[in-house]
Amino acid sequence: MGAATDSFTQECAAKPGGLNGRGAELSQRFTRQALHLKAASLPWALGAAANFVSGKCQMCRNMQAGRYFATLVCYQYRYSRLRTLQTVANDKNSIMWSNPGTPVAIHPSQLVPGLYIWLNVRWDEHPFISNRFLIKHLKDIAVIQSLGIDDRVLYFPDKSSVVPPEYVPPPPTTAELEAQRLAQLAAERAALQAEIKLKEEQKRLKRQRQQDAAARAERAWEDAARKTREALLTLQRSPKAAGQMISDLSNDTASAIARSKEVLLHLLGDKKDQGPQFHALNVLTLCMLLGKKAGLTERELSDLAMAALVHDAGKVKVPAQLFKTIKRKKHEEAFVQQHVMFSFQLANESGAFSKDALAAIADHHEALDGSGFPRARKEMSRQASILALVNRYDNLCTPEALDQEPLMPAEALSHMFRTEASRYDASLLGALVKLLGVYPPGTVVHLSDGSLALVVAPGPESLRPQVLVYSPELPKDEAPVVELHTEPELKITEALRPSTLPLDVLKWLNPQQRLSYYFSVEPAN
């Protein structure tokens, strides 16, 4: 080591310009300090001294003793800095920054001493020195709770010495309770208003659908009535032309009935006109609906429709006064019964009727128990059985004889079911009752809430039809039509004879002595 020192001193002395005595002394001191370094640091120190002496450093070349001293101090500072960095590298865990962990939100009411917290607000929004600190005093907690930063307080579980208690919401104040009550009342009021608005809209739409369906039925009936009247009046003088009109109307009707998913029966309004088309269209309508329920094909429905329209056409060959009374002599009754044969002949002459349609016309007064006329047959086709059943029902409700009291629709069904059941196919009679309901259209009824009403259409349940409620404060076409199957609390208590009604009720309800039915089908979307 001494040899190295002398070598360094000699090299400095040999340097151009040399070192003065003070410079040499400092150089020797620096060299001795370098030689006392650890072995790892010795190459760096010696290299620094060599660079200094050899003149590689342009800043140190030809420097005097004072400047040599400054340079040596610089090297000594670099050495001490290097030792500091080595110490840090060897003991990094003792002074390096450590991650405080993941903060967890906490309510100020949960704060307790020992929690290391973070106030997630600006530094000038609280009185503490730092945003992150360990709570040591209860007064610090009180200060934090007074700041109004309930949603911006967090704590570090890893740096806390305690666990915060569970959060217990404070009881609402009187003002908060009142605000909650008012808010609840407002919400309930809004919900009620929305429900009322929804029900009013549903009621409006339902009433609109009912009116639209009734209007379609009225328009369709008017068109069919015009065509039927024209065909029946010309059948005798021009059977082929009339047969074609009847065929077209029957085919259109059968197609509409067979292809529609929903067919509705309607009681029509007052029809002032009189003519053969009323009974014909009533029978046509009920035959089509009953035939659809019985599973007839479209072709079978068309044959049945033609028979229904023409089954009484032969009455034009019988004196009209014979049909105005039930007190007929034997030969008069025989003459009346001949209308069946006359109807058959007119239909046959048109050339438009199939064998099934002609057979239904010929048997429309026959009965399964043999009590019918004109041939007392006990066997009939399906179409003929339907036509005979429907024809009897409509004749009971709207008899031609002036001395025969018409039965209410409910009475007519009851009469047929109780005293004439042996005359008809039991399945068809049951289907007719189901089609028309226990209270058929045209029946005046008394409701369980004390209201009076007129049945205007059957419902999906036999005891719960659609009824027009007596509402004298409204025009009849604006009065409510109630679907009883949707109102479980409301039901029919009894059927009433129109003759028992007060005059004002009778005038408003206006139950027709001659009932007119027709159907409507739901339009395609």
Side-chain angles (χ1 to χ4, degrees), residues 27 99 139 170 212 233 255 258 275 413 423 432 445 477 507 511:
S27 177
N99 191 336
K139 65 179 182 180
D212 290 346
L233 291 178
S255 176
L413 278 183
R423 294 171 55 89
L432 181 63
V445 295
D477 58 354
K507 183 178 180 180

Side-chain angles (χ1 to χ4, degrees), residues 259-395:
R259 300 179 185 184
S260 177
K261 292 184 178 180
E262 184 175 12
V263 183
L264 305 176
L265 177 64
H266 298 273
L267 175 68
L268 303 181
D270 188 15
K271 303 298 179 184
K272 302 295 184 183
D273 190 18
Q274 297 294 322
Q277 70 272 19
F278 282 88
H279 176 66
L281 289 177
N282 276 357
V283 173
L284 166 71
T285 299
L286 296 182
C287 280
M288 291 294 96
L289 271 65
L290 188 56
K292 183 179 177 68
K293 281 187 173 293
L296 298 188
T297 65
E298 185 175 333
R299 180 69 262 170
E300 291 170 333
L301 286 174
S302 182
D303 289 340
L304 179 56
M306 294 188 71
L309 289 173
V310 182
H311 72 282
D312 276 349
K315 286 184 177 181
V316 297
K317 296 187 176 184
V318 179
Q321 65 272 17
L322 294 181
F323 294 101
K324 301 303 179 182
T325 179
I326 58 175
K327 298 176 182 179
R328 293 185 287 260
K329 295 178 181 179
K330 189 173 182 179
H331 71 280
E332 292 175 333
E333 183 63 31
F335 198 8
V336 166
Q337 292 182 5
Q338 282 188 316
H339 82 274
V340 176
M341 180 188 64
F342 297 146
S343 298
F344 179 90
Q345 290 174 346
L346 290 172
N348 191 40
E349 289 173 4
S350 72
F353 288 74
S354 68
K355 291 182 178 180
D356 290 338
L358 292 172
I361 294 173
D363 293 342
H364 77 273
H365 275 295
E366 300 291 355
L368 293 180
D369 61 1
S371 62
F373 65 86
R375 295 178 293 172
R377 285 169 52 85
K378 292 185 177 182
E379 295 181 359
M380 294 184 290
S381 68
R382 195 71 166 167
Q383 289 103 317
S385 295
I386 293 173
L387 179 55
L389 178 64
V390 170
N391 181 62
R392 176 60 174 167
Y393 170 76
D394 195 59
N395 282 334

